[in-house]
């Protein structure tokens, strides 16, 4: 059974998570031959202070500031 954990910054809507789950499930069915009912996706919201990309916390990365603030995290200016 394909299992996938997805970490997201807070603030995604139920509709966004639903759409993502449907698209990933479709891809797993096609690429892996998995049964739809066996594809499990678990979402975990992670605070921007707990995620680092390229050595920078997401909450402190000026290039990501717009995305982080959009989804409820601290901005790089904070």
């Amino acid at each position: 059974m394909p299992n996938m954990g997805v970490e997201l910054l807070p603030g995604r809507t139920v509709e966004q998570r639903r759409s993502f789950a449907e698209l990933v499930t479709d891809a797993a069915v096609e690429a892996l031959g998995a049964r739809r009912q066996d594809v499990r996706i678990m979402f975990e919201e992670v605070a921007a202070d707990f995620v680092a990309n390229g050595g920078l916390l997401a909450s402190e990365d000026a290039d990501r500031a717009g995305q982080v603030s959009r989804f409820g995290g601290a901005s790089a200016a904070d």
Side-chain angles (χ1 to χ4, degrees):
M1 165 179 0
N3 292 305
M4 172 184 275
V6 178
E7 295 178 347
L8 300 169
L9 294 175
R12 299 298 203 274
T13 67
V14 170
E15 183 54 40
Q16 288 173 314
R17 290 191 303 270
R18 182 181 298 117
S19 177
F20 180 89
E22 289 173 1
L23 290 169
V24 170
T25 298
D26 290 344
V29 168
E30 183 177 330
L32 304 174
R35 298 183 318 161
R36 286 188 76 73
Q37 64 268 30
D38 291 338
V39 178
R40 179 182 304 160
I41 301 169
M42 297 177 61
F43 295 99
E44 180 178 355
E45 289 191 340
V46 180
D49 287 341
F50 295 165
V51 177
N53 296 297
L56 295 173
L57 291 175
S59 62
E60 297 174 343
D61 185 347
D63 290 337
R64 297 180 52 87
Q67 289 290 0
V68 171
S69 63
R70 178 177 166 210
F71 294 114
S75 71
D78 289 343

